[in-house]
Every structure is written in C-alpha cells, then in structure tokens.
Amino acid sequence: MNRTATASRATSESTIEVTVNLDGTGRSSVSTGVGFYDHMLTALSKHSLIDMDIQAQGDVHIDGHHVVEDTAIVLGQAIREALGDKSGIRRYGDAMVPLDEALAQCVVDVAGRPYAVCEGEPDAQVYALIGGSGVPYAGSMTYHVVESLALNAGLCVHLRLLAGRDPHHIVEAQFKALARALRTAVELDPRQQGIPSTKGAL
C-alpha cells in the first residue's frame, strides 16, 4: 500500500506544494517564510512519523496569516488523499504532551466528518508574536491551523491546553500533541481488516 500524496494550491496570496508519506520516519523539508511555523511543522512531521515536504511562498510582507493558514489547508488535502479509503487504519489517536509548564491533549478521529475544537488557551495567547528575526508566528494562528487541517483532511480534532504560560511552549505542546495523536490515528493496525467503521465507510 502506497500511502503518499502531493497536493498544491496557488492563489494571489500564496503558492503551496506539499508531499506526504504516512508511513515515513518523520523526515521533513519545510520552508514557509515564517520561521517559527517551519519549526512547528518540522516537529509535527517528526512526532507523527509522517514524512513532509512543504514548500510555500506567500505575501509575508503583509504578515504570516495567509501562508500559515493556506499551508495547513494543503497539508490537510495531501493527508486526505494519502489516506485513500482508510482501510486498515487505527482511526483514533489520543496524546498528552508536556513542554515544561505547558501541557496539551489532543484527540484525533479520522472520521471523514471534519470538526475542530481548540480550547484552553490563555486570553493573551491570541496577541502573542512568536519568533526571532523575520516574520513572526501569531499565537492566534494555531486555531486556524488545526481547523484548516481538520476540515481538509476529514479529521475530527479536539485540542485542549491544560496548562501553559509561555506562548512558545504553548504552541509547541499543542503541535506535538496533535502530531502524536495523528501518528496513532493514521497508523495501520495489523488486526484491523477493512475500514474501521460499522458503516463501512469513513
């Protein structure tokens, strides 16, 4: 079974190309023009064991919003295509990941019915600008990333921040929890014959 896919998208705001291998080793090549987002996508690949090649260009002279959200859209489309009919997958994944004072929990269902719930962030997180020199990553974007990924991959995602103060730690715990839950959900289960649903389709 070859669970790889490439997806692309071009608009007046961004040009994105993403290739994924669901049965990879966590290898990645990521360039979006938003340094901290590159760091988070690299972590997403590493901890999900999904190989990701992500090349994105966008109107970062305005801010990072368009390229961040659009990259998540295309990543979701590539994952959805790579999943095929979802035969043999575990379907559900659950992970809780700490990063110092931050603690995040994520549950993923490869349901085919997209839904995203993100909760628990401190009010100040939406105003945080994370990153060194260059284009910062806005703390408000994590919700957009999770929602865009879920809607385009056909995932139901519940992401909860249970604790956290430092904006960098909060986002990194969130991405790593998503990665670990996604890893389990898309993994092939040798005991699972066919599609893991009583309906016979996901």
Side-chain angles (χ1 to χ4, degrees), residues 31-68:
S31 177
T32 67
V34 181
F36 183 76
Y37 190 41
D38 291 355
H39 179 44
M40 291 301 95
L41 292 173
T42 299
L44 183 67
S45 172
K46 181 70 173 180
H47 294 284
S48 68
L49 295 182
I50 299 173
D51 290 348
M52 298 181 186
D53 186 347
I54 299 173
Q55 303 302 316
Q57 294 181 324
D59 53 5
V60 292
H61 62 284
I62 297 174
D63 66 14
H65 188 113
H66 295 144
V67 74
V68 170

Side-chain angles (χ1 to χ4, degrees), residues 3-27:
R3 300 199 303 160
T4 64
T6 297
S8 61
R9 183 174 188 261
T11 71
S12 61
E13 297 172 339
S14 67
T15 301
I16 320 285
E17 184 166 344
V18 174
T19 298
V20 299
N21 177 4
L22 301 185
D23 301 308
T25 58
R27 180 204 60 79

Side-chain angles (χ1 to χ4, degrees), residues 145-158:
V145 169
V146 173
E147 183 178 50
S148 297
L149 179 67
L151 292 178
N152 286 276
L155 308 176
C156 176
V157 178
H158 284 252

Side-chain angles (χ1 to χ4, degrees), residues 1 3 22-23 47-50 79 82-95 106-112 149 153-158 176-190 192 194-197 202:
M1 185 182 299
R3 300 199 303 160
L22 301 185
D23 301 308
H47 294 284
S48 68
L49 295 182
I50 299 173
I79 290 173
L83 281 164
D85 69 358
K86 308 179 185 73
S87 180
I89 65 169
R90 295 190 186 278
R91 178 176 171 177
Y92 298 102
D94 180 11
C106 187
V107 180
V108 171
D109 176 11
V110 187
L149 179 67
L155 308 176
C156 176
V157 178
H158 284 252
K176 288 179 176 177
L178 173 61
R180 295 293 296 196
L182 189 60
R183 170 179 170 174
T184 301
V186 305
E187 191 174 48
L188 293 171
D189 183 348
Q192 176 63 52
I195 296 168
S197 171
L202 289 172

Side-chain angles (χ1 to χ4, degrees), residues 48-181:
S48 68
L49 295 182
I50 299 173
D51 290 348
M52 298 181 186
D53 186 347
I54 299 173
Q55 303 302 316
Q57 294 181 324
D59 53 5
V60 292
H61 62 284
I62 297 174
D63 66 14
H65 188 113
H66 295 144
V67 74
V68 170
E69 189 169 1
D70 292 354
T71 297
I73 289 171
V74 181
L75 177 58
Q77 291 170 346
I79 290 173
R80 183 172 197 149
E81 183 179 341
L83 281 164
D85 69 358
K86 308 179 185 73
S87 180
I89 65 169
R90 295 190 186 278
R91 178 176 171 177
Y92 298 102
D94 180 11
M96 189 178 292
V97 173
L99 182 63
D100 295 346
E101 88 295 346
L103 179 65
Q105 181 184 31
C106 187
V107 180
V108 171
D109 176 11
V110 187
R113 296 184 312 280
Y115 206 89
V117 176
C118 299
E119 55 189 13
E121 291 178 351
D123 292 342
Q125 184 69 9
V126 299
Y127 304 109
L129 297 176
I130 308 165
S133 61
V135 181
Y137 175 93
S140 60
M141 289 306 300
T142 303
Y143 177 82
H144 290 293
V145 169
V146 173
E147 183 178 50
S148 297
L149 179 67
L151 292 178
N152 286 276
L155 308 176
C156 176
V157 178
H158 284 252
L159 178 61
R160 300 174 61 213
L161 183 73
L162 303 176
R165 183 180 65 85
D166 181 271
H168 181 139
H169 293 172
I170 287 171
V171 178
E172 190 160 343
Q174 290 171 317
F175 268 82
K176 288 179 176 177
L178 173 61
R180 295 293 296 196

